[in-house]
Amino acid sequence: MEYIKDKWIFAILLDFYKNKNKYSDPLSMVEKVYVDFDYPDSICNLIRYMPVDDDSKYGDT
């Protein structure tokens, strides 16, 4: 079941990417997918309000 869910998420996100000019805020659409698919870990890094896993690579220079 998880395999099918991941394929649907990929297809939806690919459609958003290919048609990003049609959306005023495409990242909000990604966030809606995140909620609709019950917060999958596979796309949590695409969500704006999620904390970064490892912020050391963004350290102070």
Side-chain angles (χ1 to χ4, degrees):
M1 183 69 168
E2 195 68 27
Y3 177 78
I4 301 291
K5 184 176 165 182
D6 287 342
K7 294 298 178 186
W8 273 108
I9 291 170
F10 178 79
I12 292 168
L13 294 180
L14 181 63
D15 182 63
F16 287 159
Y17 179 74
K18 287 184 175 181
N19 298 301
K20 61 187 169 207
N21 298 349
K22 294 182 181 179
Y23 304 104
S24 62
D25 187 8
L27 285 178
S28 70
M29 301 302 291
V30 173
E31 291 166 357
K32 290 178 183 182
V33 170
Y34 184 65
V35 172
D36 289 345
F37 280 89
D38 199 26
Y39 310 99
D41 289 335
S42 59
I43 64 170
C44 69
N45 291 328
L46 301 175
I47 307 306
R48 292 183 280 200
Y49 55 82
M50 296 296 289
V52 176
D53 287 339
D54 180 16
D55 63 351
S56 63
K57 61 184 168 191
Y58 304 108
D60 298 324
T61 56

